[in-house]
Amino acid sequence: MSSFVPGPDGRLRFASRWIRLGDPTPEMLGDARRQLHWAVQLLASFAEALVPRRPDDSHAAVTWSPERRAFLSEESGDGSELRLGLQPGELVYRLYGPAPTRPEVFEARGRTLAEAAAWLETALAARTGGATQTFRLLEPDIAYHRVAAGATFDAAPADLAELERWFHDAFLLLEAVSIAEEGASPVRVWPHHFDIAVLIELGAEDDRPVDPEEARSVGVGMTPGDDSYPDPYWYGAVLGAADLVGAGDERAQATRAASFARAAIAGCRELLR
């Protein structure tokens, strides 16, 4: 039995770490979500500058650390083993290096994205012993927010903390999916679309090689909102925020999300069969 559905005792194997969602309510999160979407672009810029490029752009994807409650870039490829983190609940950037070095910290609240980039330039130079170089921010085609034009970050702390819980819970379920499903990718957060997802390559259990042009896959994940749905939702099919939040307490929400994931993956497999 897959690890992301109830076992014989009716308990979910990841549910004990699930944090209840719904306070603040999903419709309150739009402004904080757009600010956070722009904030995470600094991690993508870090990756584009320092992480070896891959054809599928996964070098620019970030991970979620449930221990640090933070988005993390991949390690730099210059031997310095640096990675940039962003704790959404506190709106704090941290530049991590090899232990036991303490991370440099930048509190973004009340500051601008350009100031964050300038801090990163200086912090990188200090870690690598190199001269400070201009750090180029990417100009992504994402939903506009005033922070992109130089306004300071001012999202409500309660809204940011709730968005952090959405990503945290999504990671717990998707990590279980990744472990349980043959051919599943690691759990990744994609800065451009700002979703956290797993991609399951169909036919991975077969011994025969798969023609890339005939390869089929199923994607399941969560986005905190976009142009299609302003509130957070799960996809594969669609599980809206109101449906998930309305399920009840922590265990009920975890069960609802796991049931959705199981059904969405099975349904997509059947459509692609």
Side-chain angles (χ1 to χ4, degrees), residues 43-44 47-48 51 54 57-62 74 189-191:
L43 276 66
E48 290 292 350
V51 177
R54 300 192 195 102
D57 290 332
S58 61
H59 63 284
V62 303
E74 291 202 15
V189 179
W190 298 91

Side-chain angles (χ1 to χ4, degrees), residues 3 11 17 30 32 45-46 76 79 82 107 109 114 127 129 187 237 248 250 266 269 272:
S3 59
R11 296 180 61 83
R17 299 166 65 195
S45 296
F46 174 93
S76 57
L82 299 175
E107 298 182 2
R109 178 171 302 282
R127 282 296 184 97
V187 184
E250 292 91 340
R269 283 184 181 275
L272 293 171

Side-chain angles (χ1 to χ4, degrees), residues 198-218:
V198 164
L199 187 68
I200 304 168
E201 296 289 345
L202 302 186
E205 65 276 8
D206 298 338
D207 292 332
R208 64 182 180 83
V210 177
D211 184 334
E213 295 185 359
E214 298 179 359
R216 296 167 299 162
S217 61
V218 173

